[in-house]
Amino acid sequence: MSVLELKEIYKIFGSGHGHIALKNINLGLDKGEFLAIMGSSGSGKTTLMNVASTVMKASSGKVFINGLDTEHLTEEELAILRREKIGFVFQDFRLIDNLNVKENIILPLVFNGLKVDEIHNKLNKIKDILNLEEIIKKKSIYELSGGQKQKIAIARAIIHEPVILFADEPTGKLDSNLANNIMNLLQEINKNLHMSIIMVTHNSLSASFCDRVLFLRDGEIYNEIYNGEEKINFHKRILDVVAFLGGNTYDL
Ligand SMILES: Nc1ncnc2c1ncn2[C@@H]1O[C@H](COP(=O)(O)OP(=O)(O)OP(=O)(O)O)[C@@H](O)[C@H]1O
Ligand SMILES: [Mg+2]
């Protein structure tokens, strides 16, 4: 079953002929699938994430989340859908500095109106899954390293058990070691919790953790490749497409 389905999506910015940021995108994300989106700067990756997560309305085309047609939902209904079914992770973590580590993590549960003991249970569960025992003791966000901040941001993004996790360049601000740690974590979340993940990345090694890589070029799907048995081989195949698109891995 698809947890996300995009049908003939177009996104045009500006008036008149405008700028076509997305052109006839057809895409399905299976339950439990881990999908990477690659493509050069300006190719439409973030726009695709915004439209797919209902943060931004498409100019035309349809977005189904968990089988639900989102087209005629009101802004309020969309906000509830996002709060309950979707998690977001960003390159710049977007933690709230004047809340402590625990408060940052439980924020979605507070917004969803859960009772204190339910919040407690879910926090304990996420603490075990992500091994947060030590980090969670730290009071302030300022005491965390970049990798730790992203770990907390991921905890916050999944604590309400969303159907889909959207991650826009989650390893973009981390060095390669930390990026690998975060990718291992996302892979565990994907495999153990069967959470569907859609992730934008410029990093071919990060993309090689995924089940499938989709390449955008000028707002269109240019190519997609599937992960087979061997991870090293998959990484090489990703690099081949990246080279063909005319970039090295870090300027894609
Ligand atoms: N709000 C907006 N208004 C007008 N044009 C926009 C808007 N958002 C994006 N665009 C344009 O749409 C195109 C795609 O932008 P998008 O941010 O999706 O690219 P991207 O692939 O995420 O790039 P990057 O790798 O740099 O993050 C770009 O040409 C951009 O200038
Ligand atoms: Mg972007």
Side-chain angles (χ1 to χ4, degrees):
M1 194 196 98
S2 287
V3 290
L4 172 72
E5 225 180 319
L6 304 183
K7 286 197 171 153
E8 295 174 24
I9 293 288
Y10 282 77
K11 180 67 192 178
I12 298 157
F13 288 113
S15 54
H17 287 298
H19 172 79
I20 305 180
L22 294 176
K23 212 183 282 176
N24 195 26
I25 300 287
N26 289 289
L27 169 66
L29 181 72
D30 285 341
K31 168 97 187 112
E33 192 180 15
F34 194 171
L35 173 70
I37 312 274
M38 296 189 83
S40 54
S41 185
S43 60
K45 304 180 298 297
T46 296
T47 307
L48 178 64
M49 298 287 267
N50 286 338
V51 169
S53 60
T54 79
V55 170
M56 191 182 262
K57 248 190 165 350
S59 303
S60 66
K62 277 182 177 286
V63 178
F64 295 85
I65 291 184
N66 232 4
L68 178 72
D69 183 351
T70 62
E71 189 173 0
H72 301 296
L73 298 183
T74 63
E75 276 307 318
E76 199 182 341
E77 288 167 333
L78 286 175
I80 293 169
L81 176 78
R82 285 194 295 270
R83 252 168 30 204
E84 292 180 349
K85 303 276 189 264
I86 290 175
F88 293 96
V89 177
F90 304 95
Q91 174 170 223
D92 51 0
F93 322 127
R94 304 201 190 171
L95 296 173
I96 297 175
D97 291 339
N98 53 1
L99 296 182
N100 69 29
V101 174
K102 257 188 208 172
E103 289 163 347
N104 264 282
I105 298 176
I106 63 170
L107 211 53
L109 305 181
V110 175
F111 281 135
N112 285 344
L114 266 71
K115 295 202 183 73
V116 174
D117 54 338
E118 287 175 301
I119 292 179
H120 220 85
N121 288 341
K122 285 193 189 290
L123 180 66
N124 276 333
K125 199 171 148 197
I126 210 81
K127 199 168 74 180
D128 290 342
I129 296 172
L130 300 190
N131 256 320
L132 300 176
E133 201 66 54
E134 288 307 311
I135 313 180
I136 225 166
K137 284 184 198 151
K138 305 211 177 188
K139 278 265 168 277
S140 162
I141 293 301
Y142 295 106
E143 292 175 47
L144 304 182
S145 69
Q148 288 173 330
K149 279 185 185 160
Q150 195 57 303
K151 222 170 159 180
I152 296 305
I154 290 170
R156 178 185 60 184
I158 67 167
I159 194 165
H160 58 300
E161 296 165 28
V163 178
I164 312 165
L165 176 62
F166 286 85
D168 196 346
E169 302 193 37
T171 61
K173 282 239 165 90
L174 306 174
D175 70 33
S176 57
N177 254 338
L178 286 176
N180 262 343
N181 290 347
I182 291 298
M183 287 315 302
N184 274 317
L185 189 65
L186 289 175
Q187 200 171 46
E188 270 172 42
I189 289 166
N190 169 250
K191 296 285 171 275
N192 299 343
L193 306 180
H194 310 290
M195 198 177 285
S196 310
I197 306 179
I198 175 163
M199 173 188 82
V200 168
T201 184
H202 285 268
N203 186 319
S204 58
L205 209 51
S206 291
S208 71
F209 283 79
C210 300
D211 301 319
R212 173 164 57 125
V213 184
L214 188 139
F215 296 86
L216 284 184
R217 187 167 73 169
D218 299 333
E220 286 184 280
I221 295 178
Y222 168 76
N223 196 356
E224 59 181 338
I225 55 176
Y226 285 83
N227 198 347
E229 305 280 286
E230 294 170 64
K231 195 174 156 212
I232 291 177
N233 192 21
F234 188 46
H235 184 215
K236 192 183 164 301
R237 283 160 54 218
I238 295 169
L239 283 174
D240 286 345
V241 182
V242 168
F244 204 78
L245 280 169
N248 69 47
T249 163
Y250 287 101
D251 59 33
L252 232 199

